[in-house]
Amino acid sequence: MTQEPTPAPETPAPEAAETPEAPNPIEQAIAPGYAFEGAALELGGLMAGPDSLTGSTIRIPLGMLNRHGLVAGATGTGKTKTLQLLAEQLSAAGVPVFAADIKGDLSGLATAGEASDKLLARTKSVGQAWTATAFPVEYYALGGEGIGIPIRVTVTSFGPVLLSRVLGLNDTQESSLGLVFHYADKHGLPLLDLPDLRAVVQHLTSDEGKPELKELGGLSAATAGVILRELIAFSDQGADAFFGEPEFNSADLLQLAADGRGLINLVELPNLQDRPAIFSTFLMWLLADLFHDLPEIGDVDKPKLVFFFDEAHLLFNDASKPFLDQIAQTVRLIRSKGVGVFFVTQSPTDVPDAVLAQLGSRIQHQLRAHTPNDAKALKATVNTYPKSAYDDLGEVITTLGIGEAIVTVMGEKGAPTPVAWTRLRAPESLMAPSSPESMEATVKASPRHATYSEVVDRESAREMLAKKLEEGARADAEAAGTKAAEKPRSGPKSSGSGVRKDDGGGVGGVVSDVVKSSAFKQFMRTAAAEIARGMFGTARRRK
């Protein structure tokens, strides 16, 4: 019997080596573009897909924020929270911030945030060490209509170009308004408020003012009438409260808190829907004033101020080409003053190409494409981005979740970074309005409250022109009296008293001459107008 061979013992199979996870191609393509060496603001975590977060962080170099930026997206997609996030980190870096608080939500920057399970889960997912923090805030109110410190500006400082934009004047009317400003400046007539401007227009079209105006080139009665009507309508919108003194000093926006953090300046805008032109043009005036006053400083490690221009479409709607050119020039040149400007609006197409081309950083929240116009705007938006690592950037933009955005910024070397789908960090301050009581306490504690809270009403164009008319009427009366005194006395004498009857050259004649004089008539018209304005409450209240 043949013996079967003994089987060889089995050799244990070697353990399979762990295969390292293949690097995500999207992360490989994008993350190196955000590896900055200098100080930067942390925006959030890089996403490779709808539910796929990578371990990389998306940032904006602090020194590039004066290259301006855009925050865009449909209503309810998180633009305000993004603005809050940026303002917090800028303040922490010692950079002052200016922003318009359209809905009142940004007032929560002054109050520490409130933790919740949902919030902490989100912050953990993007690697954020979240700490509830309150930030130094200054509250302002346009024209003093609200809780904040009043912001006013004189008509002279506002200027004819911006005022023409607010009033909706055409080129000819704008030129005529510029003539009025030139006349007031040449003759030392301060235009502090709208009644001052109306008084100068009325004077130049009166019998007394026409000779002076003729030397400047003339102002037609029809054009003057249009300007006066628009000024009255403007006053009816509440603009009287906005113009006057003390005039706001834009340098007050460049303040630091005692702990070295940048002061966050918030402007309250009540009834924005009723007067959008006042709001948008005021912000443009503020930018122009900063440009005029600040020195050239070139490139800096961090901006002197970052200015958030919310509801930017209001500024550009129906604007003339010269006005748009002026905006583009201001945005282009104010960078060298150390000021960064972020436009906040619903769609990038709201911003003209000349301005959009100067915006180095883009944070694009979800856009909706429910209509043909929406689809057209989406396509235009996608075309403005650099080449993307995502297969269909348009689809990504329409499917972004709340608090997510497509980001590209200007890198430290001046080149645009790759397009990055980003889950944004959460603000550390309160994501809701602060209480009115805390806001009022902040306002009263501010050193700028005493400077701007009380209205100043010094002598200006209106009073000076009224005085001039009064002096002219008095001079006419004196001239008429002198003429009457030099007139030969003739005619029958009265019996007994020695007083002759009035022949038209005595007291009665003098009064008649004065009453008939054009200067006296104009003075009475002005006085009547002043009385009417006082009765109907359209003039500024006097202290």
Coordinates of all heavy atoms in Angstrom, one line a residue, residues 339-406:
V339 N -7.5 102.4 1.2 CA -8.9 102.1 1.5 C -9.3 101.0 0.5 O -9.1 101.0 -0.7 CB -9.8 103.3 1.3 CG1 -11.3 102.9 1.4 CG2 -9.4 104.4 2.2
G340 N -9.9 99.9 1.1 CA -10.5 98.8 0.3 C -12.0 99.0 0.2 O -12.6 99.3 1.2
V341 N -12.6 98.7 -0.9 CA -14.0 98.8 -1.1 C -14.6 97.5 -1.5 O -14.1 96.9 -2.5 CB -14.3 99.9 -2.2 CG1 -15.9 100.0 -2.3 CG2 -13.7 101.2 -1.8
F342 N -15.6 97.0 -0.8 CA -16.3 95.8 -1.2 C -17.7 96.1 -1.6 O -18.4 96.7 -0.8 CB -16.3 94.8 0.0 CG -15.2 93.8 0.0 CD1 -13.9 94.3 0.4 CD2 -15.3 92.5 -0.3 CE1 -12.8 93.4 0.4 CE2 -14.2 91.6 -0.3 CZ -13.0 92.1 0.1
F343 N -18.1 95.8 -2.8 CA -19.5 96.0 -3.2 C -20.3 94.8 -2.9 O -19.9 93.7 -3.2 CB -19.5 96.3 -4.7 CG -18.9 97.6 -5.1 CD1 -17.6 97.7 -5.5 CD2 -19.6 98.8 -5.0 CE1 -17.0 98.9 -5.9 CE2 -19.1 100.0 -5.4 CZ -17.8 100.1 -5.8
V344 N -21.5 95.0 -2.3 CA -22.4 93.9 -1.9 C -23.7 94.1 -2.6 O -24.3 95.1 -2.5 CB -22.6 94.0 -0.3 CG1 -23.5 92.8 0.1 CG2 -21.3 94.0 0.4
T345 N -24.0 93.1 -3.4 CA -25.2 93.1 -4.2 C -25.7 91.7 -4.6 O -25.1 90.8 -4.2 CB -24.9 94.0 -5.5 OG1 -26.1 94.2 -6.2 CG2 -23.9 93.2 -6.4
Q346 N -26.8 91.6 -5.3 CA -27.3 90.3 -5.6 C -26.6 89.6 -6.8 O -26.4 88.4 -6.7 CB -28.8 90.4 -5.9 CG -29.7 90.9 -4.7 CD -31.1 90.5 -4.9 OE1 -31.6 89.9 -5.8 NE2 -31.9 90.9 -3.9
S347 N -26.3 90.3 -7.8 CA -25.6 89.7 -8.9 C -24.4 90.5 -9.4 O -24.5 91.8 -9.3 CB -26.6 89.6 -10.1 OG -26.0 89.2 -11.3
P348 N -23.3 89.9 -9.8 CA -22.2 90.6 -10.3 C -22.6 91.5 -11.5 O -21.9 92.6 -11.7 CB -21.2 89.5 -10.8 CG -21.6 88.4 -10.0 CD -23.1 88.4 -9.8
T349 N -23.6 91.2 -12.2 CA -24.0 92.0 -13.4 C -24.6 93.4 -12.9 O -24.8 94.2 -13.8 CB -25.1 91.3 -14.2 OG1 -26.2 90.9 -13.4 CG2 -24.4 90.0 -14.9
D350 N -24.9 93.5 -11.6 CA -25.3 94.8 -11.1 C -24.2 95.9 -11.1 O -24.5 97.1 -11.1 CB -25.8 94.7 -9.6 CG -27.1 93.8 -9.5 OD1 -27.8 93.7 -10.5 OD2 -27.3 93.3 -8.4
V351 N -23.0 95.4 -11.2 CA -21.8 96.3 -11.1 C -21.3 96.5 -12.6 O -21.1 95.5 -13.3 CB -20.7 95.7 -10.2 CG1 -19.5 96.6 -10.1 CG2 -21.3 95.4 -8.8
P352 N -21.1 97.7 -13.0 CA -20.5 97.9 -14.4 C -19.2 97.3 -14.6 O -18.4 97.1 -13.6 CB -20.4 99.5 -14.4 CG -21.3 100.0 -13.4 CD -21.3 99.0 -12.3
D353 N -18.9 96.9 -15.8 CA -17.6 96.2 -16.1 C -16.4 97.0 -15.7 O -15.4 96.4 -15.2 CB -17.6 95.9 -17.6 CG -18.6 94.9 -18.1 OD1 -19.1 94.2 -17.2 OD2 -18.9 94.8 -19.3
A354 N -16.5 98.3 -15.8 CA -15.3 99.1 -15.5 C -15.0 99.1 -14.0 O -13.8 99.2 -13.6 CB -15.5 100.6 -15.9
V355 N -16.0 98.9 -13.2 CA -15.8 98.7 -11.7 C -15.5 97.3 -11.4 O -14.6 97.0 -10.6 CB -17.0 99.2 -11.0 CG1 -16.8 99.0 -9.5 CG2 -17.3 100.7 -11.3
L356 N -16.2 96.3 -12.0 CA -16.0 94.9 -11.7 C -14.6 94.5 -12.0 O -14.1 93.6 -11.3 CB -17.0 94.1 -12.5 CG -17.3 92.6 -12.2 CD1 -17.8 92.5 -10.8 CD2 -18.2 92.0 -13.2
A357 N -14.0 95.0 -13.1 CA -12.7 94.6 -13.4 C -11.6 95.0 -12.4 O -10.5 94.5 -12.4 CB -12.3 95.3 -14.8
Q358 N -12.0 95.9 -11.5 CA -11.0 96.3 -10.4 C -11.2 95.6 -9.1 O -10.5 95.9 -8.2 CB -11.2 97.9 -10.2 CG -10.9 98.7 -11.5 CD -11.2 100.1 -11.2 OE1 -10.7 100.7 -10.2 NE2 -12.0 100.8 -12.0
L359 N -12.1 94.7 -9.0 CA -12.4 94.0 -7.8 C -11.6 92.7 -7.7 O -11.8 91.7 -8.4 CB -13.9 93.7 -7.7 CG -14.8 94.9 -7.9 CD1 -16.3 94.5 -7.7 CD2 -14.4 96.0 -7.0
G360 N -10.5 92.7 -6.8 CA -9.6 91.6 -6.8 C -10.1 90.3 -6.1 O -9.7 89.2 -6.4
S361 N -11.1 90.5 -5.2 CA -11.6 89.3 -4.4 C -13.1 89.2 -4.7 O -13.9 90.2 -4.8 CB -11.4 89.5 -2.9 OG -10.1 89.6 -2.6
R362 N -13.6 87.9 -4.9 CA -15.0 87.7 -5.2 C -15.5 86.6 -4.3 O -14.9 85.5 -4.2 CB -15.1 87.2 -6.7 CG -14.5 88.1 -7.7 CD -15.5 89.1 -8.3 NE -16.6 88.4 -8.9 CZ -16.5 88.0 -10.2 NH1 -15.5 88.2 -10.9 NH2 -17.6 87.4 -10.7
I363 N -16.6 86.9 -3.7 CA -17.3 85.9 -2.8 C -18.7 85.7 -3.4 O -19.5 86.6 -3.1 CB -17.2 86.2 -1.3 CG1 -15.8 86.4 -0.8 CG2 -18.0 85.2 -0.5 CD1 -15.7 87.0 0.6
Q364 N -18.9 84.7 -4.1 CA -20.2 84.5 -4.8 C -21.1 83.5 -4.1 O -20.8 82.3 -4.1 CB -20.0 84.1 -6.2 CG -21.2 83.8 -7.0 CD -22.0 85.1 -7.3 OE1 -21.6 86.0 -7.9 NE2 -23.3 85.1 -6.7
H365 N -22.2 83.9 -3.5 CA -23.1 83.0 -2.9 C -24.1 82.5 -4.0 O -23.9 82.9 -5.2 CB -23.9 83.7 -1.8 CG -23.1 84.0 -0.6 ND1 -23.1 83.1 0.5 CD2 -22.3 85.0 -0.2 CE1 -22.3 83.6 1.4 NE2 -21.8 84.8 1.0
Q366 N -25.0 81.7 -3.6 CA -25.9 81.1 -4.6 C -26.6 82.1 -5.5 O -27.1 83.2 -5.0 CB -27.0 80.3 -3.9 CG -27.9 79.5 -4.8 CD -29.1 78.9 -4.1 OE1 -30.2 79.3 -4.4 NE2 -28.9 78.1 -3.1
L367 N -26.7 81.8 -6.8 CA -27.5 82.5 -7.7 C -28.6 81.6 -8.2 O -28.4 80.4 -8.3 CB -26.7 83.0 -8.9 CG -25.8 84.2 -8.8 CD1 -25.1 84.5 -10.1 CD2 -26.7 85.5 -8.4
R368 N -29.8 82.2 -8.4 CA -30.9 81.4 -8.9 C -31.1 81.6 -10.4 O -30.9 82.7 -10.9 CB -32.2 81.7 -8.1 CG -32.0 81.3 -6.6 CD -33.0 81.9 -5.7 NE -32.7 81.6 -4.3 CZ -32.9 82.5 -3.3 NH1 -33.4 83.6 -3.6 NH2 -32.5 82.1 -2.1
A369 N -31.5 80.6 -11.1 CA -31.7 80.7 -12.5 C -33.1 80.2 -12.9 O -33.3 79.3 -13.7 CB -30.7 79.8 -13.3
H370 N -34.1 80.9 -12.3 CA -35.5 80.5 -12.6 C -36.1 81.1 -13.8 O -37.2 80.7 -14.3 CB -36.4 80.9 -11.4 CG -35.9 80.3 -10.1 ND1 -35.5 79.0 -10.0 CD2 -35.9 80.8 -8.8 CE1 -35.2 78.7 -8.7 NE2 -35.4 79.7 -8.0
T371 N -35.5 82.2 -14.3 CA -36.1 82.9 -15.5 C -35.0 83.0 -16.5 O -33.8 82.8 -16.3 CB -36.5 84.3 -15.1 OG1 -35.4 85.1 -14.8 CG2 -37.5 84.3 -13.9
P372 N -35.4 83.3 -17.8 CA -34.3 83.5 -18.8 C -33.3 84.6 -18.5 O -32.1 84.4 -18.7 CB -35.2 83.9 -20.1 CG -36.5 83.3 -19.8 CD -36.7 83.3 -18.3
N373 N -33.8 85.7 -17.8 CA -32.8 86.7 -17.4 C -31.9 86.2 -16.3 O -30.7 86.6 -16.3 CB -33.6 87.9 -16.9 CG -34.2 88.7 -18.0 OD1 -33.8 88.6 -19.2 ND2 -35.3 89.5 -17.7
D374 N -32.4 85.4 -15.4 CA -31.5 84.8 -14.4 C -30.5 83.9 -15.0 O -29.3 83.9 -14.6 CB -32.4 83.9 -13.4 CG -33.3 84.8 -12.5 OD1 -33.0 86.0 -12.4 OD2 -34.2 84.2 -12.0
A375 N -30.9 83.1 -16.0 CA -29.9 82.2 -16.7 C -28.9 83.0 -17.4 O -27.7 82.6 -17.4 CB -30.7 81.3 -17.7
K376 N -29.3 84.1 -18.0 CA -28.3 85.0 -18.7 C -27.3 85.6 -17.7 O -26.1 85.6 -18.0 CB -29.1 86.1 -19.5 CG -28.2 86.9 -20.3 CD -29.1 88.0 -21.1 CE -28.2 88.9 -21.9 NZ -29.0 89.9 -22.6
A377 N -27.8 86.0 -16.6 CA -26.9 86.6 -15.6 C -26.0 85.5 -15.0 O -24.8 85.8 -14.7 CB -27.8 87.2 -14.4
L378 N -26.5 84.3 -14.8 CA -25.6 83.2 -14.4 C -24.5 82.9 -15.3 O -23.3 82.8 -15.0 CB -26.5 81.9 -14.1 CG -25.7 80.7 -13.8 CD1 -25.0 80.9 -12.4 CD2 -26.6 79.5 -13.7
K379 N -24.8 82.9 -16.6 CA -23.8 82.6 -17.6 C -22.8 83.7 -17.7 O -21.6 83.5 -17.8 CB -24.5 82.5 -19.0 CG -23.5 82.1 -20.1 CD -24.2 81.9 -21.5 CE -23.2 81.6 -22.6 NZ -23.9 81.4 -23.9
A380 N -23.2 85.0 -17.5 CA -22.3 86.1 -17.5 C -21.4 86.0 -16.3 O -20.2 86.4 -16.4 CB -23.1 87.4 -17.5
T381 N -22.0 85.6 -15.2 CA -21.2 85.5 -13.9 C -20.1 84.4 -14.1 O -18.9 84.6 -13.7 CB -22.1 85.1 -12.7 OG1 -23.0 86.2 -12.6 CG2 -21.3 84.9 -11.5
V382 N -20.4 83.2 -14.6 CA -19.5 82.2 -14.8 C -18.3 82.6 -15.7 O -17.2 82.3 -15.5 CB -20.2 80.9 -15.3 CG1 -19.1 79.8 -15.7 CG2 -21.1 80.4 -14.3
N383 N -18.7 83.4 -16.7 CA -17.6 83.8 -17.7 C -16.6 84.8 -17.1 O -15.6 85.0 -17.7 CB -18.3 84.5 -18.9 CG -19.0 83.5 -19.8 OD1 -18.7 82.3 -19.7 ND2 -20.0 83.9 -20.5
T384 N -17.0 85.4 -15.9 CA -16.0 86.3 -15.3 C -15.0 85.7 -14.4 O -14.1 86.3 -13.9 CB -16.8 87.4 -14.5 OG1 -17.5 86.7 -13.4 CG2 -17.8 88.1 -15.4
Y385 N -15.1 84.3 -14.2 CA -14.2 83.6 -13.3 C -13.1 83.0 -14.1 O -13.2 82.7 -15.3 CB -15.0 82.5 -12.6 CG -15.7 83.0 -11.4 CD1 -17.1 83.4 -11.5 CD2 -15.1 83.2 -10.1 CE1 -17.7 83.9 -10.4 CE2 -15.8 83.6 -9.0 CZ -17.1 84.0 -9.1 OH -17.8 84.5 -8.1
P386 N -11.9 82.8 -13.4 CA -10.8 82.1 -14.0 C -11.3 80.6 -14.3 O -12.3 80.2 -13.8 CB -9.7 82.1 -13.0 CG -10.1 83.2 -12.1 CD -11.6 83.3 -12.1
K387 N -10.4 79.9 -15.0 CA -10.8 78.5 -15.2 C -10.9 77.7 -13.9 O -10.1 77.9 -13.0 CB -9.6 77.8 -16.1 CG -9.9 76.4 -16.5 CD -8.8 75.8 -17.3 CE -9.1 74.4 -17.7 NZ -8.1 73.8 -18.6
S388 N -12.0 76.9 -13.9 CA -12.3 76.2 -12.6 C -12.0 74.8 -12.6 O -12.0 74.1 -13.7 CB -13.8 76.4 -12.4 OG -14.3 75.5 -11.3
A389 N -11.6 74.2 -11.5 CA -11.4 72.8 -11.3 C -12.7 72.0 -11.2 O -12.7 70.7 -11.3 CB -10.5 72.5 -10.1
Y390 N -13.8 72.7 -11.1 CA -15.1 72.0 -11.0 C -15.7 71.8 -12.5 O -15.5 72.7 -13.3 CB -16.1 72.8 -10.2 CG -15.6 73.0 -8.8 CD1 -14.9 74.2 -8.4 CD2 -15.7 72.1 -7.8 CE1 -14.4 74.4 -7.2 CE2 -15.2 72.2 -6.5 CZ -14.6 73.4 -6.2 OH -14.0 73.6 -4.9
D391 N -16.3 70.7 -12.7 CA -16.8 70.3 -14.0 C -17.7 71.4 -14.6 O -17.7 71.7 -15.7 CB -17.4 68.9 -14.0 CG -16.4 67.8 -13.7 OD1 -15.2 68.0 -14.0 OD2 -16.9 66.8 -13.2
D392 N -18.7 71.8 -13.7 CA -19.7 72.7 -14.2 C -19.9 73.8 -13.1 O -20.6 73.6 -12.2 CB -21.0 72.0 -14.5 CG -22.1 72.9 -15.1 OD1 -21.9 74.1 -15.0 OD2 -23.0 72.4 -15.7
L393 N -19.2 74.9 -13.3 CA -19.2 76.0 -12.3 C -20.6 76.6 -12.1 O -21.0 77.0 -11.0 CB -18.2 77.1 -12.6 CG -18.0 78.2 -11.5 CD1 -17.6 77.6 -10.2 CD2 -17.0 79.2 -12.0
G394 N -21.3 76.7 -13.3 CA -22.7 77.2 -13.2 C -23.6 76.4 -12.3 O -24.4 76.9 -11.6
E395 N -23.5 75.1 -12.5 CA -24.3 74.2 -11.6 C -23.9 74.3 -10.2 O -24.8 74.3 -9.3 CB -24.1 72.8 -12.1 CG -25.0 71.8 -11.3 CD -24.9 70.3 -11.8 OE1 -24.1 70.1 -12.8 OE2 -25.4 69.5 -11.2
V396 N -22.6 74.5 -9.9 CA -22.2 74.6 -8.5 C -22.8 75.9 -7.9 O -23.3 75.9 -6.8 CB -20.6 74.7 -8.4 CG1 -20.2 75.1 -7.0 CG2 -20.0 73.4 -8.9
I397 N -22.8 77.0 -8.7 CA -23.3 78.3 -8.1 C -24.8 78.2 -7.8 O -25.2 78.8 -6.9 CB -23.0 79.4 -9.1 CG1 -21.4 79.7 -9.2 CG2 -23.7 80.7 -8.7 CD1 -21.0 80.7 -10.2
T398 N -25.5 77.5 -8.7 CA -27.0 77.4 -8.4 C -27.3 76.4 -7.3 O -28.5 76.3 -6.9 CB -27.7 77.0 -9.7 OG1 -27.2 75.7 -10.2 CG2 -27.5 78.1 -10.8
T399 N -26.4 75.5 -6.9 CA -26.7 74.5 -5.9 C -26.0 74.8 -4.6 O -26.0 73.9 -3.7 CB -26.3 73.1 -6.4 OG1 -24.9 73.1 -6.7 CG2 -27.1 72.7 -7.6
L400 N -25.3 75.9 -4.5 CA -24.6 76.3 -3.2 C -25.6 76.3 -2.1 O -26.8 76.8 -2.2 CB -24.0 77.6 -3.3 CG -22.7 77.7 -4.2 CD1 -22.3 79.2 -4.4 CD2 -21.6 76.9 -3.6
G401 N -25.2 75.8 -0.9 CA -26.1 75.9 0.3 C -25.9 77.2 1.0 O -25.0 78.0 0.6
I402 N -26.8 77.5 1.9 CA -26.7 78.7 2.7 C -25.4 78.7 3.5 O -25.0 77.7 4.1 CB -27.9 78.9 3.7 CG1 -29.2 79.0 2.9 CG2 -27.7 80.1 4.6 CD1 -30.4 79.0 3.7
G403 N -24.6 79.8 3.4 CA -23.3 79.9 4.0 C -22.2 79.2 3.2 O -21.1 79.0 3.8
E404 N -22.5 78.9 2.0 CA -21.4 78.4 1.1 C -21.3 79.5 0.0 O -22.2 80.2 -0.4 CB -21.8 77.1 0.5 CG -21.9 76.0 1.5 CD -22.4 74.6 0.9 OE1 -22.5 74.6 -0.4 OE2 -22.5 73.7 1.6
A405 N -20.0 79.5 -0.6 CA -19.8 80.5 -1.7 C -18.6 80.0 -2.6 O -17.8 79.1 -2.2 CB -19.4 81.8 -1.0
I406 N -18.6 80.5 -3.8 CA -17.5 80.3 -4.7 C -16.6 81.5 -4.4 O -17.0 82.7 -4.5 CB -18.0 80.3 -6.1 CG1 -18.8 79.0 -6.4 CG2 -16.8 80.4 -7.1 CD1 -17.9 77.8 -6.3

